[in-house]
Amino acid sequence: MSAPSSPPLRILLVDDHPLVREGLRSRLQTEPGYEVVAEAGSADEALIALKQAAPDLALLDVGLRQGSGIELARALLAQTPALRVLMFSMYDNPEYVQRALEAGASGYVLKDASVEALLAAIEAVRAGGTYLSPGLTRRMFRAQAPKPVLSPRESEILSALARGETSKDIARRLDLSVRTVETHRQNIKRKLALDTPAELLRYALEHARGLEADSGR
């Protein structure tokens, strides 16, 4: 007597592009053990489908036209805590990944991933684990790593840039050569992984308060 087979994994597809949903449905339906029980093109449709179709797993696009897929994940899980959520996105932004995980998603797979990677993500999430597309973990680590510590002089120069001072102004006030100030600016950009003067100025303006404290230590 053969052992009874386990019920198929009931999947809800949420993407505001019908062709994407059609492609996913067609591919997933060919896999044994999967059943696409509902589709939705918006957050409102997804919440209705959650009640009507009782899925086990929701495959959610991050960038919905109406609302955020990340906020939708939070709303779906608030109604059905046992639901497993896998984000399916074209965005590899570490901030999106972090927010999705904080919202309760169990995985984040990129839309350019292979079918094998998508299936691996579904199986990992189905089993109660977590899945991130290859490379995302490394990007998240780099994004969360602390910035290199600037020297007091570098902090002082960055603070001066936030106040609108030019290299000549800084050199005159600190009794330095303009070349020395420019060298400090290049070192600051290298340490902070900034490419252009505009990025350097933007960083200085965004961190002005902390820079004042650092330059006065």
Side-chain angles (χ1 to χ4, degrees):
M1 183 174 178
S2 60
S5 59
S6 58
L9 181 72
R10 298 169 60 83
I11 299 175
L12 164 64
L13 300 179
V14 184
D15 195 293
D16 52 15
H17 294 89
L19 286 177
V20 173
R21 297 200 306 271
E22 180 180 345
L24 286 170
R25 182 183 67 251
S26 298
R27 186 63 184 85
L28 292 174
Q29 295 284 42
T30 66
E31 294 293 324
Y34 296 159
E35 180 183 2
V36 176
V37 295
E39 298 177 28
S42 68
D44 290 342
E45 291 177 4
L47 290 168
I48 294 172
L50 179 69
K51 295 179 180 179
Q52 295 179 343
D56 303 310
L57 180 144
L59 187 59
L60 306 184
D61 183 18
V62 171
L64 298 174
R65 287 196 186 96
Q66 298 178 353
S68 161
I70 295 174
E71 290 308 311
L72 174 59
R74 197 185 307 275
L76 293 174
L77 289 166
Q79 293 195 20
T80 308
L83 180 72
R84 309 298 292 176
V85 173
L86 175 61
M87 307 307 297
F88 187 57
S89 174
M90 63 183 291
Y91 303 111
D92 62 355
N93 188 325
E95 181 182 349
Y96 288 175
V97 180
Q98 186 63 43
R99 286 172 52 200
L101 297 177
E102 290 173 354
S106 298
Y108 195 109
V109 63
L110 298 176
K111 286 187 175 181
D112 62 1
S114 65
V115 172
E116 291 73 19
L118 175 59
L119 297 178
I122 291 174
E123 285 303 311
V125 170
R126 178 186 202 175
T130 301
Y131 182 95
L132 298 180
S133 277
L136 284 179
T137 302
R138 186 168 58 253
R139 291 190 191 103
M140 289 181 68
F141 176 79
R142 287 204 304 264
Q144 294 172 0
K147 296 294 184 183
V149 176
L150 301 180
S151 70
R153 177 66 85 189
E154 289 166 347
S155 295
E156 187 175 20
I157 290 174
L158 203 53
S159 178
L161 292 175
R163 294 194 299 270
E165 294 185 30
T166 67
S167 292
K168 288 183 179 179
D169 296 333
I170 298 170
R172 187 181 306 112
R173 184 171 57 81
L174 299 180
D175 194 23
L176 300 172
S177 70
V178 174
R179 176 174 292 184
T180 298
V181 174
E182 290 294 335
T183 298
H184 282 305
R185 290 180 62 153
Q186 291 301 320
N187 289 338
I188 294 168
K189 287 198 298 181
R190 177 180 52 78
K191 285 186 177 183
L192 300 178
L194 303 173
D195 296 323
T196 67
E199 290 180 352
L200 178 63
L201 179 58
R202 186 180 306 116
Y203 183 94
L205 292 171
E206 290 174 352
H207 299 79
R209 183 173 300 176
L211 292 170
E212 292 287 354
D214 287 344
S215 62
R217 66 174 179 236

